[in-house]
């Protein structure tokens, strides 16, 4: 579909919520699924990602989704500094949210590891890269040109390389979704805190 | 930009890709089979019908005996027309199908331009369609696969373009869907899926009242039925039912059986088991092509569905996921096939381009989401572009590499299929032509190449072109009972399909054909039997063939 940059009539406050939800909700769901269905390495990456996200959000002065929200650039330039300043204050409260989120992820990972009944390792061991590229077919063709003596070693190394690539891909995906999902969640609560504070001041 | 022409350079690239892979298949065919042919016996059924048509014997299998034995009469007519120009079905069927494959790629391009408004991604979809092994196999199979695919795509594209029209253009898609139904009877549901899409789009856009839609839908259905009336009449006159005889012969249950037998068990199977079976087979077929495209297909589906319900979007393409997911499920409900699912997949080959369209939309959307996330949350716009471009290239290269490898693997399977049919059915057909009387009657379970090459009258034990066989087929001892009634001169069967018939003392084996590697045939061994009824008639010619008896393998 056309990447729609909509000139929305929604208020900036609503747009922030909407975009954080639009990107945050699916990534958080995927993060939870990865924590539940992934291999142990992926689960570790998910947990690391959520902690990393907290570190980044707590330290960086950023205002995400300014452009996607469709607000025009001059508006952003004028407002972003003020808004960022306000948002910085809200970051103090996100620590509790981060703690709860990491606990939830730990629970999901632990549940899958410790309780045999719900133990699912659906994503692990699927020969992901080979299934995508079908390189094993190429290898089986090349294999005929390798001497008998070296064939088992070559096969072993080939499988090993595929496993390494699989793990790199899966860990990268887990990290990406975990960092992004967690960051969106934290920002959502930072914005919520900011809006609540603004409302309190107004009243 | 919701429509765009594919420039000549891009068309040339698509043609080149299709010719390249077709050449690979033909090379393997020549290498493995030693001669050109078709990878399934069913292709020769079309040829037999088409030759009779071209020779003026009408739509008949045994010359002069009309029968609705072709599930794709439009393809049969096209073959017959081509036979008048070039009397070589192997050549004409392949050339016509390859041309239809090219046209299908162009339609995928146009459909993706409509959905994405991005010519580069649309071209990518066309390239992927050119490289889908199921379609390359279909385009060289001699069967209706590419005709059905092309017409399904053409109808869908016309529907997307003209569904909001109030003039005659809105009926173009219905006319094409009627033609698609003549290429595969399962495609009859397409017109109803298109109407469901029109209804939903009409509701979402608040464009027309329910009564207006009802009137419009009635005209579409009426036009559709009028176009198919000659087809239904011919079927009814030759087999006593509105659908081709093959439809009844191959159906194993479903709605038709449910309505006729009022079986409660069949009710559950019809609505819960068969649709699930067909849908999972479709998904399995998609997964087999490429794992990445498979997962992206779900992203694309979600994107199209979500966008279809957004007020600001005009290029709603809900019909694409509707066809992809509803078509197989509905096929399972109405007429689940008694064959093996892997072979039934060729009846759903027209869904392959929809899988590509959904996959490419998913790729477009996934890259956009990753780019937006990187740009807004992490690294800024320029850095996000620097990351996305190589990532996009890597994904495209990997998918193209993977599809190429699958084409190579499938080319071997295709070649083995041709070898099997040439070594078994074609060989037996030629042998029968040389070693049986011109008026000999053959009872066969594979009617294609044996009939085409022997040019003898045949009785089909499976019932595809002999509806009289259907009541006997499934009852114990029924096949031999039917044979006793028909008294053929020869029986040519897979003994593993009819073990009780093969053991009968009334049949004397005179030729065994054994396949070392069987990929597509119903059994490794096919045997020609001479019957006592032929002996009774004193067919001296055939008696001399005792010398041709080959030892059991």
């Amino acid at each position: 579909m056309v990447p729609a940059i909509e000139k929305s009539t929604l208020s900036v406050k609503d747009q922030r919520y909407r975009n954080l939800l639009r990107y945050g909700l699916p990534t958080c769901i995927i993060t939870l699924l990865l924590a539940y269905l992934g291999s142990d390495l992926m689960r570790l990456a998910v947990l690391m990602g959520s902690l990393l996200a907290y570190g980044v959000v707590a330290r960086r002065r950023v205002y995400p989704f300014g452009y996607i929200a469709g607000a025009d650039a001059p508006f952003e330039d004028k407002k972003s500094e003020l808004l960022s300043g306000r948002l910085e204050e809200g970051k103090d409260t996100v620590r509790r949210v981060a703690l709860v989120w990491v606990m939830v992820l730990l629970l999901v990972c632990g549940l899958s590891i410790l309780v045999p009944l719900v133990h699912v390792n659906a994503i692990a061991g699927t020969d992901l890269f080979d299934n995508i590229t079908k390189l094993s077919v190429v290898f089986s063709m090349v294999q005929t040109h390798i001497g008998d003596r070296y064939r088992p070693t070559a096969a072993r190394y080939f499988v090993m390389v595929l496993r390494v690539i699989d793990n790199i891909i899966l860990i990268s995906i887990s990290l990406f979704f975990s960092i992004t999902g967690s960051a969106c969640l934290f920002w959502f609560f930072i914005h919520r805190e900011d809006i609540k504070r603004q409302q309190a001041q107004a009243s | 930009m919701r429509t765009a022409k594919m420039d000549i350079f891009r068309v040339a690239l698509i043609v080149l890709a299709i010719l390249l892979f077709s050449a690979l298949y033909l090379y393997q065919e020549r290498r493995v089979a030693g001669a050109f042919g078709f990878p399934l016996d069913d292709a020769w059924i079309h040829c037999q019908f088409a030759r009779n048509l071209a020779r003026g014997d009408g739509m008949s299998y045994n010359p002069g005996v009309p029968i609705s034995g072709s599930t794709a009469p439009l393809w049969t007519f096209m073959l017959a027309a081509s036979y008048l120009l070039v009397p070589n079905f192997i050549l004409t069927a392949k050339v016509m199908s390859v041309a239809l494959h090219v046209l299908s790629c162009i339609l995928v391009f146009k459909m993706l331009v409509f959905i994405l408004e991005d010519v580069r991604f649309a071209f990518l979809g066309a390239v992927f369609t050119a490289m889908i092994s199921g379609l390359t196999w279909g385009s060289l199979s001699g069967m209706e696969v590419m005709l059905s695919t092309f017409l399904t795509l053409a109808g869908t594209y016309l529907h997307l373009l003209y569904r909001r029209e109030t003039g005659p253009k809105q009926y173009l898609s219905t006319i094409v869907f009627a033609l698609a139904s003549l290429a595969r009877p399962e495609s009859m549901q397409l017109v109803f899926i298109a109407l469901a899409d029109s209804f939903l789009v009409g509701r979402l856009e608040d464009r027309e009242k329910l009564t207006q839609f009802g009137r419009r839908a009635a005209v579409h259905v009426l036009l559709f039925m009028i176009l198919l009336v000659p087809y239904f009449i011919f079927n009814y006159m030759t087999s006593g039912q509105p659908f081709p005889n093959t439809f009844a012969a191959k159906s194993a249950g479903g709605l038709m059986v449910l309505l006729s037998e009022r079986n409660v068990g069949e009710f559950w199977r019809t609505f819960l088991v068969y649709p699930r079976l067909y849908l999972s087979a479709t998904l399995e077929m998609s997964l087999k092509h490429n794992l990445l495209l498979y997962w992206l297909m779900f992203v694309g589906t979600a994107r199209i569905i979500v966008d279809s319900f957004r007020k600001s979007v005009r290029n709603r393409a809900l019909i694409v996921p509707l066809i992809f997911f509803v078509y197989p499920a509905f096929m399972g409900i109405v007429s689940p096939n008694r064959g093996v699912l892997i072979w039934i997949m060729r009846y759903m080959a027209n869904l392959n381009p929809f899988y590509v369209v959904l996959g490419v939309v998913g790729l477009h959307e996934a890259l956009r989401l990753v780019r937006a996330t990187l740009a807004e949350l992490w690294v800024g716009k320029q850095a996000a572009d620097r990351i996305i471009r190589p990532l996009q290239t890597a994904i495209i290269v990997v998918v193209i590499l993977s599809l190429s490898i699958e084409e190579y693997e499938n080319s071997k399977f295709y070649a083995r299929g041709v070898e099997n049919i040439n070594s078994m059915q074609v060989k037996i057909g030629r042998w029968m032509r040389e070693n049986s009387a011109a008026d000999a009657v053959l009872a066969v379970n594979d009617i294609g190449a044996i009939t085409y090459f022997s040019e003898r009258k045949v009785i089909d034990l499976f019932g595809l072109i002999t509806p009289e066989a259907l009541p006997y087929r499934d009852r114990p001892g029924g096949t031999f009972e039917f044979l006793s009634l028909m008294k053929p001169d020869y029986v040519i069967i897979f003994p593993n399909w009819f073990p009780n018939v093969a053991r009968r003392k009334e049949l004397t084996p005179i030729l065994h054909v054994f396949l070392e590697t069987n990929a597509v045939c119903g059994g490794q061994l096919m045997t020609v039997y001479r019957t006592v009824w032929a002996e009774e008639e004193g067919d001296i010619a055939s008696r001399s063939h005792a010398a041709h008896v080959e030892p059991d393998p």
Side-chain angles (χ1 to χ4, degrees):
Chain A
M1 289 279 160
V2 190
I5 297 174
E6 295 164 16
K7 287 286 174 195
S8 174
T9 52
L10 292 168
S11 69
V12 175
K13 178 184 80 181
D14 288 338
Q15 284 173 354
R16 269 188 266 153
Y17 269 145
R18 198 173 157 174
N19 281 309
L20 281 168
L21 268 178
R22 188 175 158 194
Y23 286 84
L25 195 65
T27 39
C28 278
I29 291 169
I30 293 170
T31 306
L32 286 168
L33 284 173
L34 289 170
Y36 183 61
L37 301 171
S39 63
D40 291 349
L41 276 173
M42 290 166 71
R43 287 183 184 124
L44 191 66
V46 166
L47 287 171
M48 293 289 289
S50 63
L51 292 173
L52 207 62
Y54 174 71
V56 173
V57 171
R59 281 173 174 275
R60 278 181 70 189
R61 284 172 68 89
V62 283
Y63 172 43
F65 298 115
Y67 296 103
I68 296 171
D72 49 23
F75 171 83
E76 288 305 314
D77 292 341
K78 285 175 198 165
K79 296 281 182 185
S80 62
E81 193 58 35
L82 176 68
L83 189 66
S84 296
R86 284 206 329 255
L87 291 175
E88 283 305 305
E89 291 174 32
K91 284 184 179 176
D92 296 336
T93 56
V94 87
R95 198 167 293 139
R96 271 174 296 161
V97 177
L99 191 68
V100 172
W101 174 238
V102 172
M103 290 305 288
V104 168
L105 289 177
L106 256 176
L107 189 75
V108 173
C109 293
L111 198 74
S112 184
I113 293 168
L114 298 173
V115 184
L117 196 67
V118 289
H119 179 82
V120 187
N121 247 354
I123 299 173
T126 50
D127 293 333
L128 183 77
F129 191 65
D130 186 38
N131 273 329
I132 292 171
T133 57
K134 297 189 175 119
L135 277 178
S136 56
V137 178
V138 178
F139 180 75
S140 62
M141 285 193 286
V142 174
Q143 212 178 15
T144 53
H145 302 291
I146 302 173
D148 288 348
R149 199 174 146 198
Y150 301 107
R151 213 171 280 171
T153 318
R156 204 168 56 244
Y157 278 112
F158 177 72
V159 171
M160 203 168 78
V161 168
L162 285 183
R163 288 273 152 79
V164 169
I165 296 173
D166 269 5
N167 280 326
I168 290 172
I169 292 172
L170 290 171
I171 289 170
S172 306
I173 289 172
S174 306
L175 264 176
F176 177 79
F177 279 106
S178 176
I179 295 176
T180 307
S182 306
C184 282
L185 185 80
F186 302 151
W187 267 311
F188 181 82
F189 279 96
I190 291 168
H191 283 296
R192 188 166 160 268
E193 189 61 30
D194 174 53
I195 288 160
K196 267 164 75 178
R197 213 171 286 167
Q198 293 296 307
Q199 281 171 344
Q201 278 176 7
S203 63
Chain B
M1 181 189 63
R2 278 200 273 143
T3 55
K5 274 189 179 172
M6 194 191 248
D7 63 53
I8 193 75
F9 177 69
R10 287 195 169 107
V11 173
L13 278 178
I14 292 296
V15 171
L16 192 70
I18 289 176
L19 288 180
L20 190 74
F21 287 111
S22 298
L24 170 70
Y25 277 59
L26 293 174
Y27 164 75
Q28 296 275 26
E29 181 178 345
R30 192 78 187 167
R31 192 178 64 81
V32 176
F36 295 120
F38 296 128
L40 278 184
D41 190 53
D42 297 23
W44 292 109
I45 300 179
H46 280 299
C47 297
Q48 173 69 7
F49 272 116
R51 189 174 62 185
N52 285 347
L53 260 175
R55 286 177 176 174
D57 290 322
M59 195 67 169
S60 60
Y61 205 72
N62 290 317
V65 184
I67 184 75
S68 66
S70 172
T71 36
L74 188 61
W75 180 241
T76 308
F77 275 99
M78 282 172 69
L79 282 177
S82 74
Y83 186 80
L84 295 173
L85 297 172
V86 183
N88 181 342
F89 284 123
I90 295 177
L91 178 70
T92 54
K94 287 182 201 283
V95 168
M96 283 194 296
S97 286
V98 166
L100 287 166
H101 194 176
V102 173
L103 293 174
S104 300
C105 294
I106 294 172
L107 282 171
V108 166
F109 171 85
K110 285 181 170 292
M111 210 182 278
L112 277 165
V113 167
F114 178 89
I115 299 169
L116 294 172
E117 299 192 14
D118 185 328
V119 174
R120 287 174 314 148
F121 271 84
F123 179 62
L124 191 65
V127 172
F128 289 168
T129 309
M131 297 177 74
I132 291 288
S133 63
L135 295 181
T136 314
W137 181 93
S139 69
L140 299 171
S141 68
M143 286 179 292
E144 71 283 359
V145 175
M146 285 321 301
L147 179 66
S148 164
T149 304
F150 168 73
L151 290 171
T152 306
L153 277 169
T156 309
Y157 181 62
L158 289 169
H159 171 78
L160 286 171
L161 279 189
Y162 301 127
R163 65 188 154 179
R164 291 186 188 87
E165 292 270 338
T166 48
K169 274 184 183 175
Q170 65 168 311
Y171 301 111
L172 284 175
S173 61
T174 301
I175 294 168
V176 176
F177 284 144
L179 291 174
S181 308
L182 295 175
R184 278 301 324 159
E186 295 85 359
S187 297
M188 280 184 197
Q189 57 173 304
L190 288 171
V191 75
F192 299 101
I193 294 176
L195 285 174
D197 176 75
S198 287
F199 173 76
L200 286 169
V201 171
R203 297 291 89 206
L204 289 164
E205 292 177 357
D206 214 9
R207 214 164 15 88
E208 61 182 352
K209 288 178 183 164
L210 214 56
T211 47
Q212 282 175 311
F213 171 77
R215 273 199 296 272
R216 203 159 59 83
V219 176
H220 276 276
V221 173
L222 194 68
L223 174 68
F224 182 72
M225 299 308 271
I226 287 170
L227 289 170
L228 292 181
V229 159
Y231 169 76
F232 290 133
I233 290 177
F234 177 75
N235 289 334
Y236 191 78
M237 283 171 64
T238 54
S239 64
Q241 54 189 350
F243 296 101
N245 191 50
T246 36
F247 189 78
K250 289 190 175 179
S251 288
L255 204 59
M256 298 297 178
V257 173
L258 175 69
L259 293 175
S260 58
E261 293 177 9
R262 294 177 193 168
N263 183 335
V264 181
E266 194 59 30
F267 179 85
W268 295 115
R269 281 193 293 275
T270 299
F271 292 104
L272 294 175
V273 180
Y274 302 140
R276 192 169 51 82
L277 206 64
Y278 271 65
L279 192 57
S280 49
T282 310
L283 293 177
E284 216 170 285
M285 171 183 81
S286 311
L287 181 67
K288 192 176 146 276
H289 287 315
N290 187 271
L291 182 71
L292 194 62
L293 268 186
Y294 175 76
W295 287 113
L296 288 170
M297 177 188 79
F298 291 106
V299 178
T301 304
R303 182 71 261 162
I304 286 176
I305 291 172
V306 168
D307 274 5
S308 295
F309 287 93
R310 280 168 60 189
K311 286 276 178 197
S312 55
V313 170
R314 289 289 292 166
N315 48 350
R316 293 184 169 88
L318 199 59
I319 190 170
V320 177
L322 266 179
I323 288 178
F324 187 80
F325 291 101
V326 172
Y327 191 101
F330 197 70
M331 201 172 147
I333 289 173
V334 176
S335 61
N337 201 293
R338 59 173 65 230
V340 186
L341 266 178
I342 186 178
W343 292 120
I344 296 161
M345 293 323 292
R346 83 165 195 265
Y347 304 143
M348 290 191 265
N350 54 346
L351 299 183
N352 276 312
F354 291 84
Y355 153 74
V356 172
V357 168
L358 291 171
V360 171
V361 172
L363 177 63
H364 186 268
E365 185 58 21
L367 288 171
R368 193 179 74 80
L369 279 171
V370 173
R371 188 192 166 280
T373 311
L374 286 173
E376 296 296 333
L377 284 129
W378 304 118
V379 291
K381 284 194 170 182
Q382 284 181 337
D385 283 338
R386 279 201 298 276
I387 295 169
I388 284 296
R389 271 190 215 118
L391 181 69
Q392 183 180 313
T393 311
I395 289 173
I396 292 168
V397 168
V398 160
V399 173
I400 286 177
L401 175 76
S402 158
L403 292 176
S404 306
I405 292 171
E406 207 208 330
E407 286 274 34
Y408 171 74
E409 282 290 284
N410 205 45
S411 70
K412 291 195 282 187
F413 174 70
Y414 164 82
R416 181 57 62 193
V418 175
E419 186 273 331
N420 282 176
I421 300 302
N422 283 358
S423 308
M424 186 176 264
Q425 286 86 344
V426 172
K427 182 181 170 183
I428 290 176
R430 288 193 169 126
W431 190 87
M432 289 307 298
R433 185 178 166 81
E434 288 168 14
N435 297 286
S436 66
D439 61 346
V441 177
L442 323 178
V444 293
N445 61 220
D446 261 3
I447 56 172
I450 294 173
T451 319
Y452 184 85
F453 288 99
S454 68
E455 298 203 45
R456 300 289 179 264
K457 187 185 172 191
V458 293
I459 296 162
D460 179 13
L461 297 176
F462 200 61
L464 298 180
I465 54 116
T466 314
E468 301 85 5
L470 289 175
Y472 295 90
R473 193 179 59 179
D474 294 329
R475 72 176 189 234
T479 303
F480 188 76
E481 197 184 330
F482 180 65
L483 284 172
S484 311
L485 278 172
M486 302 307 285
K487 298 188 179 358
D489 300 306
Y490 298 90
V491 174
I492 307 170
I493 51 171
F494 293 119
N496 61 318
W497 279 18
F498 303 96
N500 296 330
V501 174
R503 281 195 291 269
R504 301 293 301 208
K505 62 178 179 0
E506 289 88 344
L507 307 181
T508 312
I510 56 168
L511 178 73
H512 296 294
V513 175
F514 184 77
L515 295 174
E516 287 296 331
T517 313
N518 179 22
V520 297
C521 292
Q524 252 184 318
L525 175 72
M526 187 175 256
T527 304
V528 180
Y529 300 89
R530 184 169 161 72
T531 66
V532 288
W533 306 297
E535 299 285 346
E536 282 166 11
E537 284 168 18
D539 185 351
I540 298 157
S542 51
R543 216 167 290 151
S544 62
H545 301 143
H548 290 278
V549 175
E550 291 178 9
D552 279 324

